[in-house]
Amino acid sequence: MESHILLVQCPDEPGLIYRITRILYEQGCNIIRNQEFVDAESAHFFMRTEFTGGHGNGDLIERLRTDLPAGAEIRIAPVQDRRLVVLVTKEPHCLGELLLLNEFRELSASVLAVIGNHETLGRLAERFDIPFHFISHEGLSRPDHEARIAEVAAAYEPDYLVLAKYMRVLGPDFLKQFRHRIINIHHSFLPAFVGAQPYRQAFERGVKIIGATAHFVTEVLDEGPIIAQSVIPVDHTYNPKRMAQAGRDIEKLVLARAVKLVCQDRVVLVGNRTVVFE
Amino acid sequence: MESHILLVQCPDEPGLIYRITRILYEQGCNIIRNQEFVDAESAHFFMRTEFTGGHGNGDLIERLRTDLPAGAEIRIAPVQDRRLVVLVTKEPHCLGELLLLNEFRELSASVLAVIGNHETLGRLAERFDIPFHFISHEGLSRPDHEARIAEVAAAYEPDYLVLAKYMRVLGPDFLKQFRHRIINIHHSFLPAFVGAQPYRQAFERGVKIIGATAHFVTEVLDEGPIIAQSVIPVDHTYNPKRMAQAGRDIEKLVLARAVKLVCQDRVVLVGNRTVVFE
Amino acid sequence: MESHILLVQCPDEPGLIYRITRILYEQGCNIIRNQEFVDAESAHFFMRTEFTGGHGNGDLIERLRTDLPAGAEIRIAPVQDRRLVVLVTKEPHCLGELLLLNEFRELSASVLAVIGNHETLGRLAERFDIPFHFISHEGLSRPDHEARIAEVAAAYEPDYLVLAKYMRVLGPDFLKQFRHRIINIHHSFLPAFVGAQPYRQAFERGVKIIGATAHFVTEVLDEGPIIAQSVIPVDHTYNPKRMAQAGRDIEKLVLARAVKLVCQDRVVLVGNRTVVFE
Amino acid sequence: MESHILLVQCPDEPGLIYRITRILYEQGCNIIRNQEFVDAESAHFFMRTEFTGGHGNGDLIERLRTDLPAGAEIRIAPVQDRRLVVLVTKEPHCLGELLLLNEFRELSASVLAVIGNHETLGRLAERFDIPFHFISHEGLSRPDHEARIAEVAAAYEPDYLVLAKYMRVLGPDFLKQFRHRIINIHHSFLPAFVGAQPYRQAFERGVKIIGATAHFVTEVLDEGPIIAQSVIPVDHTYNPKRMAQAGRDIEKLVLARAVKLVCQDRVVLVGNRTVVFE
């Protein structure tokens, strides 16, 4: 039986769970999993409900809209794969992980295409029969290059873009077009080591743990809402190169995990933070 | 304002969340945190609700009993410290952790007394002004020794007994008296290495990770429901003694964590497993 | 400049490091990394030395043999990729990880061929241009099936066989042929949950952490020397199927890590335990 | 038999291990554990050797000095407890951990005294019969306050000062007096969230992991060489207060671990980084 995900967020007030679950019950929906969260700082209520059954989601949304406080955001979507376009430069490990999970239908998403500003990873995409678009930045202004990428990506009607070690900063026009729909992997435990060469920075600071951070991309570099993070221990025997090697495993896992969480409608934005219903 | 915890478990059926939250709403309760779980194997529904307000819990329980399926278990308790008696032998680290957390009111419980089958830890309990009862097992049959402990412990009217490295197996009469109310720390990642000398066993098996397990004590040794577990990496340089040293940190943390979870009404038994609402 | 790895093990006695490093120095070798370990239980000395230079390893071995205690085991091998044949059944995640790392030369080894007792993963091997041999067990006795696999594998002259979720127990003749050269991934934190369906066992025991173990295969099922282990937390919401999904990430990482460690001459056997020079 | 630790650091060149172990051998020392490290960035060699026996360490040092490159730093010290003075403000968890480990001789050090700029923790120190000095900062200039602390601390002839949640920044005169001998615990995963209220900062940045860092104190706040770090996962349900609670366990463990490492002569400074021989 088809499942749906209901996501609700609204100002908190007493009786919200009761009102929402009553409507679901009266509409004939069967709740499989229900998760709530109240953010005390903003006095906002969040709920994610996975349910089966019901007599049409149009009615459901309408009844919820009537019953919930003004300003409530309500979203219902079937549990089904989301559409992804992946952007890459030269490093293969994150793309490889996504392509393997895609091949075996474990991503809660379909990788429709890969776009690279270098040709390097074309062969890898081809091995999995995924279209690869080589769009070099050479000889193009940044806006022109990004416009070209945006055009190619948009043609696939993606739900999300995934930056799988795409090593260029994206400009405001591009970000506006895919607002809150770009997932990036940063190779450090943000907010430590923003910017370039985080492993070099980590080495020089002499840290004993390194990390990786998957986040939504916003206008301010490396400052977007964090979706998932992971770390591994290192010691004095790790130079920046060996840190980078060790970091690859967590980078690819954290990125894949973030993509799955987002594509399963488990991630909700609260300002610059995320609520993640796992 | 005083908080209460409502714990419900019953056979699963549609509309349970709605029915329960409606009653809470109509009784004037304000839900602070709500967590649900449906165990698909047993088709059982579990819910933990933290709420403030309401016009008397007697009415609330009665209304819930009327509205919920037959066989529902319903429990409401105020959020307040539970009463603990701690049993020890000679090793100080778990007792020390509990006494420190107790001293600074971070245990969600009060340590009322310590009972030791050796005198070793009397001085430590005394440092924190906690009564220490030395009840030697020497010259006593096991049932007699345990009856003596049970008598002294019961006088404190404890909610739970905590075995903080109490190194003797408890017999059926004792267990019956404190059924589902004894929390033990076992120094391995159960079910690996049941029985005596788990670190020696771990060393001989050459494992690369060691663990600790906090669990409720049942008739079958080391087979009770697991509340919390934790692990740390080891390597070939660890002999059993060094493993034991390294294990102390996780033993004390896991035991303290389990005690807090239980005393905050976050742990529900499902057969030999636990639902832990964190 | 070419690097070599020297591995020495012998009964412990004073002056061993001095004697070995003197010979290396006098032979013109430059030590890049040196690691020693004395196993107090067996009074055995172990040393792994990575070095460059030297005037021929024949002389070096001869001099070491003369100078070290009787019974010393001495091995020198150039730092170069080892030859692997991978055995699989149906699950793709471990094979996929190995093929990706192989593709990008990050395995310290070359995957020469994949052998499956089902056809399922042939397409995946083919995507990476790695020969796939389908050798069904149907209609064959176990010894005949294994003899067939051994023949095909041996033709590749592999240094190691990797069981990447090969779901059949191997018999004594096969094991004898590849003694200490077969690496397996077991989907539990051994020695917990030996045998079939470890995730089902883990679920029923209600553990809060699950694991994966890479080990050498020996005659006794799931009892071989452990090379690497890893774990992840789970909770009551994980049924056996979800545990298996969550376990895939650690299975593939632990197996790949064990393969790298072995192929970099970092793993030495001490009875049924391993010394791992990381 | 008494053990000693030899620590050597010098410019790297071929044959160093050979030369050092020869001298140890010829002096009749028996090496129990030997660890080396070459920092490729600075081309510096580091070695830590634990040994028993020998005919007087004076000769040993002299011979090493003669044989090793100019500028070599050589230190030999018996394996014995170091002398500690602990500085605190109001939070008890780190002090409690140190006092418990001290009580049971598990710190590789002796806590000689506790100095607090508030009276709060006097009772805790007293419970363990450790002298407590209350030195209020009120009405004193910073230099005067620190001079007073330095005087009291110095009277105990400590090897190291431990800042166990001492919440004031120390000035240059104080730092000069105890140069490289002050160990601090910072309640974040440095270099993320330097300065005040790191948990508030972590909450606002929406991180999914929080950490703690033990480091030597230098003139630049939160920039000293890192000795040990640890992290734990958090999620959206953690506000700054709950993060602080969760952080206490790792703060106390990381600080205790750093103290042990330093007091066992396992930590060597390389510029602003540390080599930690575990």
Side-chain angles (χ1 to χ4, degrees):
Chain A
M1 205 198 300
E2 203 189 23
S3 293
H4 285 80
I5 305 293
L6 165 67
L7 284 173
V8 171
Q9 68 178 93
C10 62
D12 190 32
E13 57 178 56
L16 287 171
I17 303 173
Y18 153 55
R19 278 185 271 169
I20 297 168
T21 55
R22 185 191 60 201
I23 294 170
L24 285 163
Y25 180 69
E26 292 174 359
Q27 291 286 116
C29 305
N30 187 29
I31 294 175
I32 295 168
R33 182 120 199 249
N34 199 48
Q35 289 159 288
E36 310 96 357
F37 172 63
V38 174
D39 181 46
E41 296 264 318
S42 61
H44 236 67
F45 170 87
F46 300 85
M47 183 162 149
R48 179 188 187 273
T49 306
E50 187 174 345
F51 66 91
T52 56
H55 339 300
N57 292 324
D59 283 5
L60 185 53
I61 285 191
E62 199 161 321
R63 285 206 52 192
L64 286 166
R65 231 180 268 293
T66 309
D67 245 40
L68 290 176
E73 291 179 38
I74 301 159
R75 197 171 70 187
I76 299 178
V79 172
Q80 67 184 21
D81 283 357
R82 297 297 183 268
R83 301 172 62 86
L84 302 183
V85 169
V86 181
L87 272 64
V88 299
T89 297
K90 287 179 174 178
E91 283 181 84
H93 55 288
C94 286
L95 177 61
E97 179 80 3
L98 295 174
L99 291 175
L100 272 180
L101 292 175
N102 181 66
E103 170 94 352
F104 298 103
R105 318 308 315 144
E106 298 228 344
L107 200 54
S108 301
S110 291
V111 175
L112 305 171
V114 178
I115 299 173
N117 65 322
H118 286 265
E119 278 182 293
T120 319
L121 298 178
R123 179 85 185 98
L124 180 58
E126 191 181 279
R127 286 198 182 282
F128 289 93
D129 302 322
I130 303 293
F132 181 84
H133 302 269
F134 168 42
I135 305 179
S136 175
H137 55 278
E138 289 189 37
L140 291 180
S141 71
R142 183 178 303 268
D144 285 352
H145 182 237
E146 293 180 1
R148 189 84 187 77
I149 292 176
E151 189 192 346
V152 171
Y156 288 97
E157 298 180 352
D159 293 302
Y160 298 100
L161 300 190
V162 181
L163 309 188
K165 306 290 285 179
Y166 179 72
M167 301 309 275
R168 291 171 63 85
V169 176
L170 292 164
D173 287 348
F174 191 92
L175 296 179
K176 197 183 294 174
Q177 183 172 348
F178 297 98
R179 191 171 159 68
H180 291 156
R181 289 165 52 206
I182 308 178
I183 302 167
N184 183 43
I185 181 71
H186 182 83
H187 42 316
S188 92
F189 178 72
L190 286 176
F193 313 126
V194 297
Q197 295 199 289
Y199 290 124
R200 163 58 58 181
Q201 293 180 58
F203 170 73
E204 283 175 1
R205 184 62 189 89
V207 293
K208 302 303 185 187
I209 290 173
I210 56 171
T213 304
H215 63 99
F216 286 113
V217 180
T218 55
E219 283 70 17
V220 190
L221 184 65
D222 300 335
E223 291 280 341
I226 293 170
I227 304 165
Q229 296 189 295
S230 187
V231 294
I232 47 168
V234 293
D235 64 25
H236 57 272
T237 66
Y238 286 70
N239 59 20
K241 192 184 157 200
R242 216 180 135 213
M243 280 188 186
Q245 282 174 327
R248 276 173 208 148
D249 280 348
I250 50 171
E251 289 173 19
K252 75 185 186 187
L253 291 186
V254 165
L255 179 60
R257 190 160 155 261
V259 168
K260 277 189 242 185
L261 288 170
V262 168
C263 291
Q264 293 169 355
D265 280 334
R266 295 182 183 280
V267 182
V268 181
L269 287 170
V270 201
N272 203 48
R273 291 179 288 127
T274 58
V275 171
V276 180
F277 289 116
E278 290 197 71
Chain B
M1 205 198 299
E2 203 189 22
S3 293
H4 285 80
I5 306 294
L6 165 67
L7 285 172
V8 171
Q9 68 179 90
C10 61
D12 189 32
E13 57 178 56
L16 288 170
I17 303 173
Y18 154 55
R19 278 186 272 169
I20 296 168
T21 54
R22 185 190 61 200
I23 294 170
L24 286 164
Y25 180 68
E26 292 174 0
Q27 291 286 117
C29 305
N30 187 29
I31 295 174
I32 295 168
R33 182 121 200 247
N34 200 48
Q35 290 160 287
E36 309 96 357
F37 171 63
V38 174
D39 181 46
E41 295 264 318
S42 60
H44 236 66
F45 170 87
F46 300 85
M47 183 161 151
R48 179 188 187 273
T49 307
E50 187 175 344
F51 65 92
T52 56
H55 337 302
N57 292 324
D59 283 5
L60 185 52
I61 286 192
E62 198 161 322
R63 285 206 52 192
L64 287 165
R65 230 180 270 294
T66 309
D67 245 40
L68 291 176
E73 292 179 38
I74 301 159
R75 198 171 69 186
I76 299 179
V79 172
Q80 66 184 22
D81 282 358
R82 297 297 183 265
R83 301 171 62 86
L84 302 184
V85 169
V86 180
L87 272 64
V88 299
T89 296
K90 288 179 174 177
E91 283 180 86
H93 55 287
C94 286
L95 177 61
E97 179 80 3
L98 294 174
L99 291 175
L100 273 181
L101 293 175
N102 181 65
E103 171 93 353
F104 297 103
R105 317 309 313 145
E106 299 227 344
L107 200 53
S108 302
S110 292
V111 175
L112 304 171
V114 178
I115 299 173
N117 65 321
H118 286 266
E119 279 182 291
T120 319
L121 298 178
R123 179 83 186 100
L124 180 58
E126 192 181 277
R127 286 199 183 282
F128 289 93
D129 302 322
I130 304 293
F132 181 84
H133 301 269
F134 169 42
I135 305 179
S136 175
H137 55 278
E138 290 189 36
L140 291 181
S141 71
R142 182 179 303 270
D144 284 353
H145 182 238
E146 292 180 3
R148 191 82 188 77
I149 291 177
E151 189 191 345
V152 171
Y156 287 98
E157 299 182 350
D159 294 301
Y160 298 99
L161 300 189
V162 180
L163 309 187
K165 307 290 285 180
Y166 180 72
M167 302 308 276
R168 291 172 62 86
V169 176
L170 292 164
D173 287 348
F174 191 93
L175 296 179
K176 198 183 293 173
Q177 183 171 349
F178 298 98
R179 191 170 160 69
H180 291 157
R181 290 164 51 205
I182 309 178
I183 301 167
N184 183 45
I185 181 71
H186 183 83
H187 42 314
S188 92
F189 178 73
L190 287 176
F193 312 126
V194 298
Q197 294 198 289
Y199 290 123
R200 163 57 58 181
Q201 293 180 59
F203 170 74
E204 283 174 0
R205 183 61 189 89
V207 293
K208 302 302 186 188
I209 290 173
I210 56 171
T213 304
H215 62 98
F216 286 113
V217 179
T218 55
E219 285 68 20
V220 190
L221 185 65
D222 300 335
E223 292 279 341
I226 293 170
I227 304 165
Q229 297 189 295
S230 186
V231 294
I232 46 167
V234 293
D235 64 25
H236 57 273
T237 66
Y238 286 70
N239 59 21
K241 193 185 156 199
R242 218 182 133 210
M243 280 188 186
Q245 283 174 328
R248 276 173 209 147
D249 281 347
I250 51 171
E251 289 173 18
K252 74 184 186 188
L253 292 186
V254 165
L255 178 60
R257 190 160 154 260
V259 168
K260 277 189 243 186
L261 289 170
V262 169
C263 291
Q264 293 169 355
D265 280 334
R266 296 182 182 279
V267 182
V268 181
L269 288 171
V270 202
N272 203 48
R273 291 178 288 126
T274 57
V275 171
V276 179
F277 289 117
E278 289 197 71
Chain C
M1 206 197 300
E2 203 189 22
S3 295
H4 285 80
I5 305 295
L6 165 67
L7 285 172
V8 172
Q9 67 178 94
C10 61
D12 190 30
E13 58 179 55
L16 288 171
I17 303 174
Y18 154 54
R19 278 186 272 170
I20 297 168
T21 54
R22 186 191 59 200
I23 293 169
L24 286 164
Y25 180 67
E26 291 175 359
Q27 292 285 117
C29 305
N30 188 28
I31 295 174
I32 295 168
R33 183 121 199 247
N34 200 48
Q35 290 159 288
E36 310 96 357
F37 173 63
V38 174
D39 182 45
E41 297 262 320
S42 61
H44 236 66
F45 170 86
F46 300 85
M47 183 162 149
R48 179 188 189 272
T49 306
E50 187 174 345
F51 65 92
T52 57
H55 339 299
N57 292 324
D59 283 4
L60 186 53
I61 286 192
E62 200 161 319
R63 286 205 53 190
L64 287 166
R65 231 180 268 293
T66 309
D67 246 40
L68 291 176
E73 292 179 36
I74 300 159
R75 199 172 67 187
I76 299 179
V79 173
Q80 66 184 21
D81 282 358
R82 297 295 182 268
R83 301 172 62 85
L84 302 183
V85 169
V86 181
L87 272 65
V88 299
T89 297
K90 289 180 175 176
E91 282 180 85
H93 55 287
C94 286
L95 177 61
E97 179 79 2
L98 294 174
L99 291 175
L100 272 180
L101 292 175
N102 180 66
E103 170 95 352
F104 298 103
R105 316 310 313 145
E106 300 227 342
L107 200 53
S108 301
S110 290
V111 176
L112 305 171
V114 178
I115 299 173
N117 66 322
H118 286 265
E119 280 182 290
T120 320
L121 298 178
R123 180 84 186 99
L124 180 58
E126 191 181 279
R127 286 197 182 284
F128 289 93
D129 302 322
I130 303 293
F132 181 84
H133 301 269
F134 168 42
I135 305 179
S136 175
H137 54 278
E138 289 190 38
L140 292 180
S141 71
R142 182 178 304 270
D144 286 352
H145 182 238
E146 292 181 3
R148 190 85 186 77
I149 291 176
E151 190 191 347
V152 171
Y156 288 98
E157 299 181 351
D159 294 301
Y160 298 99
L161 301 189
V162 180
L163 310 187
K165 306 291 285 181
Y166 179 72
M167 302 308 275
R168 291 171 62 85
V169 176
L170 291 164
D173 287 346
F174 191 93
L175 295 180
K176 198 183 292 172
Q177 183 171 350
F178 298 98
R179 189 169 161 70
H180 292 158
R181 290 163 52 206
I182 308 178
I183 302 166
N184 183 43
I185 181 72
H186 182 82
H187 43 315
S188 92
F189 178 73
L190 287 176
F193 313 126
V194 298
Q197 294 199 291
Y199 290 124
R200 161 58 57 181
Q201 292 181 58
F203 170 74
E204 283 174 0
R205 184 61 189 89
V207 293
K208 301 303 186 188
I209 290 174
I210 56 171
T213 304
H215 63 99
F216 287 113
V217 179
T218 56
E219 285 70 19
V220 190
L221 185 66
D222 301 336
E223 291 281 340
I226 293 170
I227 304 164
Q229 297 189 294
S230 186
V231 295
I232 46 168
V234 293
D235 65 23
H236 57 272
T237 65
Y238 286 70
N239 59 20
K241 192 184 157 200
R242 215 180 137 214
M243 280 188 187
Q245 283 174 328
R248 275 172 210 151
D249 280 348
I250 51 170
E251 289 174 17
K252 74 184 185 188
L253 291 186
V254 165
L255 179 59
R257 188 158 157 262
V259 168
K260 278 188 242 186
L261 289 169
V262 169
C263 291
Q264 293 169 355
D265 280 334
R266 296 182 183 279
V267 182
V268 181
L269 287 171
V270 201
N272 203 48
R273 291 178 288 126
T274 56
V275 171
V276 179
F277 289 117
E278 288 197 72
Chain D
M1 205 197 299
E2 203 190 21
S3 295
H4 286 80
I5 305 294
L6 165 67
L7 284 172
V8 171
Q9 67 178 93
C10 62
D12 190 31
E13 58 180 53
L16 288 170
I17 303 174
Y18 154 54
R19 279 186 271 169
I20 297 168
T21 55
R22 186 191 59 199
I23 294 170
L24 286 164
Y25 180 68
E26 292 175 0
Q27 291 286 116
C29 305
N30 187 28
I31 295 175
I32 295 167
R33 183 122 200 246
N34 200 49
Q35 289 160 287
E36 309 96 358
F37 173 62
V38 174
D39 182 45
E41 297 261 320
S42 61
H44 236 65
F45 170 86
F46 300 84
M47 182 161 150
R48 179 188 187 273
T49 307
E50 188 175 343
F51 66 92
T52 56
H55 339 301
N57 292 324
D59 283 5
L60 185 53
I61 286 192
E62 199 162 320
R63 286 205 54 190
L64 286 166
R65 230 179 270 294
T66 309
D67 245 41
L68 291 176
E73 292 179 37
I74 301 159
R75 198 171 70 186
I76 300 180
V79 172
Q80 67 184 22
D81 282 359
R82 298 296 184 267
R83 300 171 64 84
L84 302 183
V85 169
V86 180
L87 273 64
V88 300
T89 296
K90 289 180 174 177
E91 283 180 85
H93 54 288
C94 286
L95 177 61
E97 179 79 2
L98 294 174
L99 291 174
L100 273 180
L101 293 174
N102 180 65
E103 170 95 353
F104 298 103
R105 318 308 314 146
E106 299 227 343
L107 200 53
S108 301
S110 290
V111 175
L112 305 171
V114 178
I115 299 172
N117 66 321
H118 286 266
E119 279 182 291
T120 320
L121 298 178
R123 180 85 186 99
L124 180 58
E126 191 181 278
R127 286 197 182 283
F128 289 93
D129 301 322
I130 303 293
F132 180 84
H133 301 270
F134 168 42
I135 305 178
S136 175
H137 56 279
E138 291 189 36
L140 292 180
S141 71
R142 183 179 302 270
D144 286 351
H145 182 237
E146 292 181 3
R148 190 83 189 79
I149 292 176
E151 190 191 346
V152 171
Y156 288 97
E157 298 180 353
D159 295 300
Y160 298 100
L161 301 190
V162 180
L163 310 188
K165 307 291 285 181
Y166 179 72
M167 302 309 275
R168 290 172 62 86
V169 176
L170 291 164
D173 287 346
F174 191 94
L175 295 180
K176 198 183 293 173
Q177 184 171 349
F178 298 97
R179 190 169 160 70
H180 290 158
R181 291 164 53 206
I182 309 176
I183 301 167
N184 184 44
I185 181 72
H186 182 83
H187 43 314
S188 91
F189 178 73
L190 286 176
F193 313 125
V194 298
Q197 294 198 289
Y199 291 123
R200 162 58 57 181
Q201 293 180 57
F203 171 74
E204 283 174 1
R205 184 61 190 89
V207 294
K208 301 303 186 188
I209 289 174
I210 57 171
T213 303
H215 63 98
F216 287 113
V217 179
T218 55
E219 285 69 18
V220 190
L221 184 66
D222 300 337
E223 291 280 340
I226 293 170
I227 304 164
Q229 297 189 295
S230 186
V231 295
I232 46 168
V234 293
D235 64 24
H236 58 271
T237 66
Y238 285 70
N239 59 20
K241 194 185 155 199
R242 216 181 134 211
M243 280 188 187
Q245 284 174 326
R248 275 172 209 150
D249 281 347
I250 50 170
E251 289 174 18
K252 73 184 186 190
L253 292 186
V254 165
L255 179 60
R257 189 158 155 262
V259 169
K260 277 188 242 185
L261 288 170
V262 169
C263 291
Q264 294 170 355
D265 279 333
R266 295 182 182 280
V267 182
V268 182
L269 287 171
V270 202
N272 204 46
R273 291 178 289 126
T274 57
V275 171
V276 179
F277 289 117
E278 290 198 71

